[in-house]
Amino acid sequence: MRKRIIAGNWKMYKKMGEAKAFIAEVKGRLPITAKVEMVICPPSPYLSELVNESEGTSLKIGAQTMHDVEEGAFTGEVSPSMLADMNVEYVILGHSERRQYFNETDESVNKKVHAAFAHQLTPIVCVGESLEEREEGKTVERVSSQVEKAFNGISADQAKAAIIAYEPIWAIGTGKTATSEDANEVCKEIRQEISKLYDESTAAAVRIQYGGSVKPENIAELLSMEHIDGALVGGASLVADSFLKLVELA
Ligand code: PEP
């Protein structure tokens, strides 16, 4: 049985006071032992503070990106060892906005997946097709290739612990959601790709989230699908009420 996981990607939103108020509100209303894994990925300047604020609760903190090397002359970057040092537990890798605006490639994502595991960070590896690729019938080809490249050289045990987020680019922040059947179909193909790369037990263990305009109104239907184990949520994770609603509905 795969544990469901709801992760909030705050992108470049909120001030420190708002971020702390969110955690305080969620903390006060959290079940002590949650059956759902909950992660908030705030902007990097807030990571340390929010790890401290959420300590002792079932709410975990993740980063939105990182570099793949320990340290060096990489102005503006955050290293995997810095995240580990702050007790951050998850890291989103290869989000389509990072691929689009910050030149992340399948190869750099792969290096980061290796670096995440080397520092005991759980990677949330994002894959997804553009609208053009979907219209040309290339969704499965695109997504399978992203998975294959991201997991190059990663062991089966590591792959089992990874999280893959299927996020069709055309559904992110647009209000357009893939139908639950379409999302499930692609998640099933991702699982098959993992089975091809490793074996069936690895494929059965890996958790696959759907992301793209998930909100309280559509999460139950998406999560009723066999291959969807959770959601990576942008906009709807910014408000404590709706984040908690998503967790409750999961
Ligand atoms: C995201 O940022 O990964 C995302 C899916 O955003 P939204 O939920 O706003 O579409």
Side-chain angles (χ1 to χ4, degrees), residues 9 11 95 167 171-173 211-214 232-235:
N9 173 16
K11 311 191 189 204
H95 190 281
E167 298 207 307
I172 298 177
S213 299
V214 173
L232 180 56
V233 187

Side-chain angles (χ1 to χ4, degrees), residues 4-250:
R4 290 197 166 154
I5 171 161
I6 304 296
N9 173 16
W10 282 0
K11 311 191 189 204
M12 201 170 71
Y13 290 105
K14 288 195 190 294
K15 298 286 184 286
M16 178 68 102
E18 295 165 333
K20 284 169 76 170
F22 177 104
I23 301 294
E25 185 174 349
V26 167
K27 227 162 78 169
R29 293 161 60 187
L30 276 184
I32 296 169
T33 48
K35 66 175 175 57
V36 178
E37 218 162 296
M38 287 169 284
V39 186
I40 285 292
C41 302
S44 56
Y46 308 155
L47 283 167
S48 184
E49 188 75 24
L50 296 201
V51 167
N52 291 338
E53 294 286 322
S54 57
E55 212 186 321
T57 75
S58 46
L59 181 67
K60 306 295 175 202
I61 302 298
Q64 297 175 15
T65 184
M66 66 177 191
H67 201 285
D68 62 289
V69 303
E70 287 288 312
E71 60 181 10
F74 299 106
T75 302
E77 289 289 320
V78 175
S79 81
S81 50
M82 290 170 188
L83 296 182
D85 192 37
M86 288 189 281
N87 296 321
V88 168
E89 293 182 56
Y90 299 77
V91 59
I92 299 174
L93 297 176
H95 190 281
S96 61
E97 288 151 17
R98 300 290 315 171
R99 293 180 192 255
Q100 184 180 354
Y101 303 122
F102 302 97
N103 302 321
E104 283 202 5
T105 61
D106 290 333
E107 290 65 35
S108 66
V109 171
N110 175 247
K111 284 187 189 166
K112 293 178 187 202
V113 175
H114 279 273
F117 281 118
H119 292 86
Q120 286 74 49
L121 296 159
T122 299
I124 300 177
V125 182
C126 300
V127 297
E129 82 287 2
S130 64
L131 187 57
E132 201 183 345
E133 286 163 336
R134 171 157 287 254
E135 284 170 352
E136 287 172 359
K138 291 185 176 153
T139 299
V140 172
E141 185 189 325
R142 176 76 180 123
V143 165
S144 300
S145 152
Q146 287 176 320
V147 169
E148 182 187 358
K149 289 175 180 155
F151 284 82
N152 187 19
I154 295 296
S155 73
D157 280 347
Q158 289 172 329
K160 279 180 188 158
I163 293 152
I164 300 173
Y166 166 54
E167 298 207 307
I169 299 168
W170 49 270
I172 298 177
T174 57
K176 290 184 198 148
T177 323
T179 65
S180 46
E181 286 78 16
D182 281 350
N184 188 52
E185 198 48 44
V186 182
C187 291
K188 183 177 162 193
E189 295 287 349
I190 291 172
R191 212 175 287 289
Q192 260 163 27
E193 181 63 28
I194 292 290
S195 176
K196 220 164 75 189
L197 296 171
Y198 299 96
D199 49 47
E200 273 183 31
S201 76
T202 307
V206 73
R207 288 180 296 169
I208 306 176
Q209 296 175 307
Y210 168 78
S213 299
V214 173
K215 43 189 184 276
E217 294 74 30
N218 58 21
I219 194 165
E221 157 122 32
L222 286 159
L223 292 188
S224 70
M225 296 287 139
E226 183 184 353
H227 294 285
I228 305 179
D229 305 312
L232 180 56
V233 187
S237 74
L238 287 166
V239 176
D241 250 356
S242 81
F243 179 73
L244 284 164
K245 193 84 196 147
L246 291 169
V247 171
E248 190 188 314
L249 291 165

